[in-house]
Amino acid sequence: AGGRFASLTLYPNLGEKKKILMQGDIEMKKYNILIGGIFLFTLFNAWSNDDYYSKIKKDAIAGDAQAQFKIGRMYMIVSGDYEKAFYWLGKAAKQGNAEAQADIGSFYYYGTGVKKNRKKAEEWLVKASRNGEPRAQNDLAILYSESESRDARCDRIWELLSSSAAKGYDMAYLNIGNYYLRGVCVERSMSKAVDWWEKAADKGNGQAEFNLYVSYSNGSGVSMNQHTGYVYLRKSCEHGYKKACDLINE
């Protein structure tokens, strides 16, 4: 997870008054990779197809950056071998593959497949961000948010998040909303927070949907609407947000 900020306490009307925390954390997703179902299906098929795997491996050994990236993703997503994933993605990253650079930044940030190293994480996220990779731009903004010099870096943080959001990255939408919620690097505005969470929710972001549930249930930044709030709560759970599922199952 990304840097943690205190959550805002709201009290939706659920019959029995319960303390519900709006999730205002500034986030990056662990190993958050923008892959569609078709691409993921292709990876699994490629892994099980000896001829295809052999060709990709041969091309990767020969120095083909795209093949190195593909085989690195196979190790990361299909087999969960993060050390081999780090090895191959690192080779692709050194050849300028922006997605691989973002992956390597995440590996160093979380210390998976390699020893945790925030300085190296930043170095690789900077490279990927300069190459226009939206996930890296979001994650670099989060890295800066966690530093003691955050306030001095607000302009850069906002620039990175805005660039990532302009490319349609849901976590950037979520985090901009969370900045407005917390009043971090920007004047606090619940209505603007809701606007950005709705953009993230349109892309199936479970935390944004949970925040919209709280907002609509309490009338915070939007007109109170218990039905709409509950719809967002159900969607949040369907999209894997545990706190929403826990609340439904209470």
Side-chain angles (χ1 to χ4, degrees):
R4 298 290 174 179
F5 294 87
S7 298
L8 179 67
T9 303
L10 297 177
Y11 298 91
N13 180 10
L14 297 174
E16 175 187 357
K17 184 174 282 190
K18 295 183 178 181
K19 182 178 179 181
I20 307 299
L21 296 179
M22 181 176 290
Q23 301 305 297
D25 299 339
I26 309 302
E27 295 280 358
M28 64 171 76
K29 283 184 181 176
K30 191 171 186 179
Y31 318 127
N32 185 39
I33 300 159
L34 296 174
I35 52 175
I38 294 176
F39 181 52
L40 186 59
F41 178 76
T42 302
L43 283 182
F44 276 101
N45 278 317
W47 191 259
S48 61
N49 186 316
D50 290 339
D51 291 338
Y52 182 83
Y53 173 77
S54 296
K55 182 181 184 307
I56 292 292
K57 184 73 173 287
K58 181 179 179 180
D59 290 344
I61 292 171
D64 184 287
Q66 189 61 24
Q68 291 168 346
F69 171 69
K70 287 180 179 179
I71 200 167
R73 281 285 180 88
M74 287 179 186
Y75 279 119
M76 179 167 64
I77 299 167
V78 181
S79 72
D81 189 332
Y82 294 112
E83 289 186 3
K84 288 183 179 178
F86 179 83
Y87 174 80
W88 286 110
L89 289 168
K91 286 184 172 294
K94 289 174 182 176
Q95 294 199 66
N97 184 296
E99 289 182 274
Q101 290 171 341
D103 289 342
I104 293 299
S106 293
F107 275 36
Y108 274 119
Y109 181 88
Y110 289 106
T112 302
V114 67
K115 186 176 180 180
K116 189 172 184 177
N117 189 317
R118 289 174 64 86
K119 183 178 180 181
K120 289 186 177 180
E122 180 179 351
E123 289 174 0
W124 282 107
L125 290 174
V126 166
K127 291 176 187 286
S129 295
R130 288 174 177 168
N131 285 328
E133 217 290 321
R135 174 166 53 97
Q137 291 168 337
N138 174 80
D139 291 358
L140 185 59
I142 304 320
L143 201 67
Y144 290 156
S145 294
E146 295 176 340
S147 70
E148 293 180 358
S149 60
R150 184 192 72 198
D151 291 344
R153 285 178 157 176
C154 276
D155 288 346
R156 180 58 177 151
I157 290 170
W158 201 254
E159 178 185 353
L160 286 164
L161 285 177
S162 297
S163 182
S164 180
K167 298 179 180 73
Y169 187 47
D170 70 301
M171 291 299 292
Y173 292 153
L174 170 69
N175 286 326
I176 291 174
N178 290 349
Y179 269 76
Y180 277 115
L181 166 68
R182 304 307 315 159
V184 176
C185 291
V186 68
E187 184 177 351
R188 187 174 184 275
S189 170
M190 282 305 302
S191 61
K192 289 182 179 179
V194 167
D195 287 343
W196 283 101
W197 291 333
E198 287 179 339
K199 290 176 184 290
D202 286 343
K203 290 181 173 290
N205 186 289
Q207 183 178 324
E209 289 165 337
F210 186 84
N211 286 355
L212 288 170
Y213 150 67
V214 180
S215 295
Y216 275 100
S217 296
N218 196 60
S220 181
V222 68
S223 297
M224 184 182 291
N225 189 315
Q226 297 290 327
H227 173 73
T228 299
Y230 189 71
V231 168
Y232 276 119
L233 181 65
R234 297 293 304 184
K235 286 183 177 180
S236 179
C237 179
E238 289 168 6
H239 291 136
Y241 196 64
K242 186 177 182 299
K243 292 182 180 179
C245 297
D246 289 346
L247 188 61
I248 290 172
N249 294 327
E250 281 184 357

